Amino acid sequence: MDHPELSDAGARSRAEAAARASYGRLVALLAAPTGDIALAEDALGDAFEAALTTWPGSGVPANPEAWLLTVARNRQRDAWKSAATRTSTPLDAVRELDDGTHGTDEDMIGAIPDKRLALLFVCAHPAIDPGVRTALMLQTVLGFEAAQIATAFAVPAPAMAQRLVRAKRRIRDARIPFTVPDADVMPQRLPAVLEAVYGCFAIGSATTSGAGVGAGAGAGAGTGAGPRAGAGPRAGAGADTGTGVADPDSLAGEALYLAETLAALLPGEPEAAGLAALICLSQARAAGRRNREGAFVPLDEQDPARWDGALIARGEAHLRHASSLGRIGRYQLEAAIQSVHCERRVTGAVDRRAIRTLHEALARIAPTLGALVSLAAVIGELDGPEAGLAALDRIDAAAAERFQPAWATRAHLLAQAGRREDAAAAYDRAIALTTDPAVRSYLADRRG
Amino acid sequence: MRYALLLNYPEAGDVGLSDDDLAAGRAAFDEYLKALNAAGVFVSTEILQPVAVSTTVTTRDGELLIQDGPFADTKEKLGGVFVIEVPDLDQALSWAERCPASQYGVVEVRPVAVTARGGEWITPS
């Protein structure tokens, strides 16, 4: 309590800093004993409010996180005690807390256990609807409000709020445990967690990367880029990786934070590191995807000087760690493809053969529509447009019918092959399926 | 936490099981019951007779209606219930996975809301 003169704004910024750094840690810890995430969020919200009214007068406590935890636990206990007049159950939870990690502020320094990993597994539990897992992570781990998440997912806010409420009620009432799966269950459970984080990245990068402009459009190659983000969440608790997130307005930045958190908490899982590498390496090029006028710039025409060298180095470190574990997977392959593109920053050239080998491996182990279309684009670059078109024709036509990258790739290949009328028709389809205005005008220019 | 494992599967008569098949099934369920008991999680079970001997009763339209046959005529039928007491959903799910019925049917895992013992309502923890 050594800042008695602290201004209101100072307390607010300290509270916000604490929020960014610790929101998910505190929610996970508060919710773990009973599985009641909504109550944990309410209690933590009250604690933040109390901080805003108390800290300007009394000064910021030595350990703000512990202070928030103590206040939130008191609120939780009050809620349980009033509930206990109706049912006897929650008293067990009160007892469990009283003999647990509960202590004074000073005792708590550095002692707050990190249960975020368990929380991530809860969010992506098989008993939770896959469509709500990413949103749940954004809310419970990062503190975004339902309305912000709804904007990112392009769904009405009340619908998103209801989905989140239902999922949290299910977690509490079905008693989904806050535990990290044992080694024998891990291979079944981890992919869903990675996929939910990847989903966050795909939505976020849809606004900035123009995923699927065709040949080597970059990240998002593995999925049909998800629903488009209107504007990324901004207020509230954001990501804090300690080294600065590339684009705070982008959900991709939040995905980066989630992926790096996951990789740090699961150091023995190569695909967790692979996903972190993929998002680092892709996000590193975010600034290069637009020129000074805001127009879309395709990967091969980007100025590598505008890429983020520090983030590339971080991605490479994740990828090296993943490789050292000796189990290849789709995220590592996608990251390796990004890594080859990033090498242009040093070598000035792109190793197309390496790209092709990696795309072929990716199409073998994870033959998603995105992976197959990307492979066709690479074949087109190396073996000529007709070979690329033949590869595209081998992809299931029905599935590709509404897939923007398939049409954009086809349009580029037809144009290269000199088939102007067919190319124009394919460009029209691609433009119709594109929501990003910058990518649309880029495609319109190419169409001529 | 108390969970009901609701066993849904095609009935033996519909898929033409032999006596040997049925004996093997009974042995598997016997082993399952022993495992539940040994783990200290078993609460109760009821295995039901085929829907062919089921009768439905309703007064929801104001008068008594008694009919033969099951309420819902589905391919898979509710064939039995196991009630278990375990700490969380993951453990309930793993007992559902071990249930012999999961091999040829679907086991629905539902948390129990209220139960009764000795004529008194109890909310299980």
Side-chain angles (χ1 to χ4, degrees):
Chain A
M1 312 285 174
D2 43 7
H3 302 289
E5 306 290 305
L6 198 77
S7 69
D8 205 42
R12 187 172 290 272
S13 82
R14 284 299 297 269
E16 280 168 4
R20 268 189 284 281
S22 57
Y23 185 89
R25 283 162 59 102
L26 293 175
V27 166
L29 200 58
L30 290 162
T34 61
D36 194 339
I37 294 174
L39 177 60
E41 288 172 330
D42 287 348
L44 188 56
D46 286 352
F48 277 117
E49 223 164 88
L52 288 176
T53 50
T54 313
W55 293 2
S58 64
V60 176
N63 185 346
E65 201 174 54
W67 189 96
L68 289 165
L69 182 60
T70 304
V71 172
R73 278 190 167 157
N74 288 336
R75 294 293 152 91
Q76 256 184 330
R77 208 172 284 121
D78 291 346
W80 285 326
K81 277 176 182 157
S82 77
T85 59
R86 297 188 294 275
T87 156
S88 62
T89 328
L91 277 180
D92 295 338
V94 177
R95 276 192 288 273
E96 193 175 322
L97 275 178
D98 281 342
D99 58 35
T101 50
H102 177 58
T104 65
D105 288 4
E106 308 305 319
D107 295 340
M108 302 291 306
I109 294 175
I112 294 176
D114 194 347
K115 286 192 172 276
R116 282 177 303 173
L117 184 57
L119 180 56
L120 287 168
F121 276 97
V122 167
C123 292
H125 193 278
I128 296 296
D129 171 12
V132 77
R133 291 173 187 168
T134 300
L136 258 183
M137 287 181 177
L138 288 171
Q139 180 153 76
T140 62
V141 181
L142 297 174
F144 287 111
E145 285 170 18
Q148 297 172 306
I149 300 168
T151 304
F153 279 76
V155 300
M160 177 56 76
Q162 195 178 31
R163 262 185 239 169
L164 288 164
V165 165
R166 270 202 212 117
K168 281 183 254 183
R169 199 178 295 149
R170 187 175 177 79
I171 289 165
R172 182 194 63 194
D173 292 349
R175 199 70 190 92
I176 294 176
F178 277 60
T179 50
V180 177
D182 294 337
D184 58 328
V185 191
M186 184 61 86
Q188 290 169 33
R189 295 280 173 94
L190 183 58
V193 177
L194 296 171
E195 205 167 298
V197 174
Y198 187 97
C200 178
F201 165 65
I203 294 165
S205 61
T207 41
T208 49
S209 75
V213 172
T223 60
R228 300 302 170 109
R234 55 196 84 217
D240 180 9
T241 55
T243 45
V245 164
D247 179 6
D249 278 352
S250 164
L251 266 185
E254 310 307 336
L256 176 60
Y257 175 76
L258 286 174
E260 290 201 305
T261 301
L262 193 59
L265 295 170
L266 282 173
E269 291 295 337
E271 280 290 86
L275 181 58
L278 167 61
I279 298 177
C280 276
L281 294 170
S282 173
Q283 267 304 91
R285 296 196 320 267
R289 293 186 185 114
R290 293 280 189 273
N291 67 16
R292 312 254 174 230
E293 288 75 45
F296 173 79
V297 185
L299 177 53
D300 287 343
E301 293 164 29
Q302 288 171 20
D303 176 6
R306 300 192 63 203
W307 296 347
D308 181 339
L311 204 47
I312 291 175
R314 225 158 85 199
E316 297 293 350
H318 286 303
L319 192 53
R320 273 195 303 278
H321 173 65
S323 309
S324 76
L325 296 169
R327 262 186 295 142
I328 197 68
R330 64 169 284 200
Y331 297 115
Q332 292 169 77
L333 284 171
E334 288 192 49
I337 291 166
Q338 299 303 315
S339 169
V340 176
H341 283 295
C342 286
E343 266 172 39
R344 183 157 68 85
R345 195 162 179 269
V346 180
T347 62
V350 176
D351 183 346
R352 303 265 166 219
R353 281 174 199 293
I355 295 267
R356 179 187 193 145
T357 305
L358 291 165
H359 270 294
E360 283 168 348
L362 182 61
R364 256 197 316 276
I365 69 165
T368 60
L369 197 49
L372 297 174
V373 169
S374 295
L375 177 58
V378 173
I379 290 171
E381 282 170 15
L382 280 172
D383 298 347
E386 296 295 346
L389 287 166
L392 266 184
D393 288 339
R394 285 194 293 273
I395 300 171
D396 178 21
E401 185 60 26
R402 292 198 49 77
F403 191 54
Q404 189 266 6
W407 285 104
T409 301
R410 182 175 292 280
H412 294 328
L413 292 170
L414 286 168
Q416 279 168 31
R419 291 156 62 177
R420 286 182 189 198
E421 268 178 44
D422 292 344
Y427 274 120
D428 286 341
R429 285 288 294 160
I431 291 165
L433 291 168
T434 305
T435 51
D436 184 330
V439 174
R440 247 200 329 259
S441 68
Y442 167 81
L443 290 169
D445 284 350
R446 295 276 300 242
R447 183 189 186 280
Chain B
M1 184 92 183
R2 189 165 290 196
Y3 295 87
L5 310 186
L6 309 176
L7 283 39
N8 295 278
Y9 44 80
E11 290 189 344
D14 291 345
V15 288
L17 294 187
S18 69
D19 285 351
D20 282 353
D21 295 333
L22 290 173
R26 268 192 289 273
F29 268 98
D30 186 48
E31 209 169 289
Y32 182 59
L33 178 61
K34 287 193 173 92
L36 288 168
N37 255 319
V41 300
F42 178 77
V43 176
S44 67
T45 184
E46 309 291 340
I47 302 298
L48 308 178
Q49 291 203 29
V51 291
V53 290
S54 196
T55 309
T56 57
V57 178
T58 181
T59 59
R60 72 179 160 203
D61 293 326
E63 52 187 293
L64 176 64
L65 182 64
I66 299 179
Q67 283 184 306
D68 67 318
F71 173 68
D73 195 14
T74 52
K75 205 167 129 208
E76 291 181 334
K77 276 114 183 165
L78 178 64
V81 182
F82 276 84
V83 178
I84 60 172
E85 186 79 45
V86 291
D88 58 52
L89 182 65
D90 278 354
Q91 295 190 37
L93 295 177
S94 80
W95 281 110
E97 184 189 341
R98 285 180 66 177
C99 177
S102 74
Q103 289 163 29
Y104 49 85
V106 174
V107 179
E108 181 181 342
V109 180
R110 284 261 286 268
V112 171
V114 185
T115 187
R117 202 178 300 141
E120 295 290 331
W121 290 112
I122 304 162
T123 306
S125 60

